[in-house]
């Protein structure tokens, strides 16, 4: 992937311009990622290629989901992406945080009234970078932006932050990456979770943010 000298991290806005960008630039990036690295995702290419436009826009229209991307400054190609989901209704990290926040209908007030001093639970969907854009610090910059967003939100609410990410226990590259971003593995160790999109169980590792490591 030539010409990566200029890129920037951006939050996709939840307006008409952001929705257009999501469909024109994020969607092809996401489908290409699912096709090229199927084992990196909980979803599948066969599932998402059949999404209607409203399915694609469901995340950006969800006020609890913020999608961050690293884009090439010239042609707006998406080079890397992740989403910040939260505050979630429950403190425990979810294998599918998008589903958890979608099911929050009518639960928002209950969540905010629940033990005001408790930490605010947020989850990162996982940072994915296009193969040709790896090794250039792009993923680290994207992770930093997401952590700052969650940290600032918690500070504004005068609450502690509970930020986590779920990775496959066999993905040692991802584990090392998140450790370099200040995440540590849950002392409880790996857990097994059934993935309905792939029809099989996956061994996952929950990692919690504890502060900048590098």
């Amino acid at each position: 992937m030539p010409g990566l000298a200029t890129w920037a991290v951006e939050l996709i806005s939840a307006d008409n311009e952001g929705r257009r960008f999501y469909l024109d630039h994020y969607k092809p990036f996401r489908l290409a990622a699912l096709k090229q690295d199927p084992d990196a995702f909980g979803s599948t290419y066969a599932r998402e290629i059949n999404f209607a436009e409203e399915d694609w826009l469901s995340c950006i229209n969800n006020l609890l989901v913020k999608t961050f991307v690293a884009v090439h400054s010239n042609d707006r190609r998406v080079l890397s992406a992740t989403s910040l989901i939260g505050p979630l209704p429950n403190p425990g990290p979810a294998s599918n945080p998008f589903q958890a926040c979608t099911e929050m209908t009518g639960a928002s007030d209950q969540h905010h009234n629940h033990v005001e001093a408790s930490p605010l639970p947020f989850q990162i969907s996982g940072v994915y970078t296009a193969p040709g854009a790896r090794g250039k610090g792009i993923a680290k910059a994207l992770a930093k932006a997401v952590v700052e967003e969650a940290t600032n939100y918690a500070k504004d609410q005068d609450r502690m932050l509970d930020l986590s990410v779920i990775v496959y226990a066999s993905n040692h590259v991802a584990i090392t990456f998140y450790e370099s971003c200040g995440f540590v593995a849950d002392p409880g160790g790996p857990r097994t979770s059934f993935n309905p999109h792939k029809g099989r169980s996956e061994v996952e590792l929950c990692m919690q943010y504890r502060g900048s490591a590098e």
Side-chain angles (χ1 to χ4, degrees), residues 26-71:
Y26 177 82
K27 175 183 174 181
F29 166 84
R30 170 77 178 183
L31 289 175
L34 287 167
K35 201 170 187 178
Q36 183 157 7
D37 290 315
D39 291 337
F41 299 91
S43 186
T44 66
Y45 176 84
R47 172 176 176 260
E48 297 194 15
I49 190 63
N50 292 312
F51 276 4
E53 185 173 291
E54 62 187 36
D55 296 319
W56 283 105
L57 295 178
S58 62
C59 283
I60 197 170
N61 289 331
N62 190 322
L63 297 179
L64 298 180
V65 179
K66 293 184 177 180
T67 299
F68 289 78
V69 291
V71 298

Side-chain angles (χ1 to χ4, degrees), residues 2-167:
L4 294 181
T6 56
W7 52 270
V9 173
E10 300 178 4
L11 169 63
I12 302 179
S13 57
D15 54 19
N16 288 335
E17 182 179 354
R19 293 183 184 93
R20 192 74 263 156
F21 175 88
Y22 202 90
L23 294 174
D24 292 346
H25 296 279
Y26 177 82
K27 175 183 174 181
F29 166 84
R30 170 77 178 183
L31 289 175
L34 287 167
K35 201 170 187 178
Q36 183 157 7
D37 290 315
D39 291 337
F41 299 91
S43 186
T44 66
Y45 176 84
R47 172 176 176 260
E48 297 194 15
I49 190 63
N50 292 312
F51 276 4
E53 185 173 291
E54 62 187 36
D55 296 319
W56 283 105
L57 295 178
S58 62
C59 283
I60 197 170
N61 289 331
N62 190 322
L63 297 179
L64 298 180
V65 179
K66 293 184 177 180
T67 299
F68 289 78
V69 291
V71 298
H72 192 283
S73 300
N74 294 330
D75 58 17
R76 306 292 289 160
R77 276 176 295 151
V78 175
L79 307 174
S80 185
T82 189
S83 291
L84 176 68
I85 305 102
L88 289 165
N90 300 305
S95 297
N96 188 342
F98 291 106
Q99 180 178 350
C101 70
T102 299
E103 294 173 348
M104 280 186 67
T105 305
S108 179
D109 290 340
Q110 295 178 19
H111 168 69
H112 289 296
N113 290 333
H114 176 68
V115 191
E116 292 185 4
S118 63
L120 282 174
F122 279 85
Q123 194 168 332
I124 299 175
S125 64
V127 180
Y128 181 83
T129 305
R134 295 171 186 171
K136 306 178 188 302
I138 296 176
K140 183 66 72 68
L142 197 64
K144 181 180 178 181
V146 172
V147 167
E148 288 180 350
E149 179 75 18
T151 300
N152 290 336
Y153 184 96
K155 285 182 179 179
D156 289 343
Q157 300 296 316
D158 196 26
R159 302 272 290 279
M160 298 293 290
L161 173 65
D162 178 9
L163 177 62
S164 62
V165 62
I166 297 291
V167 299

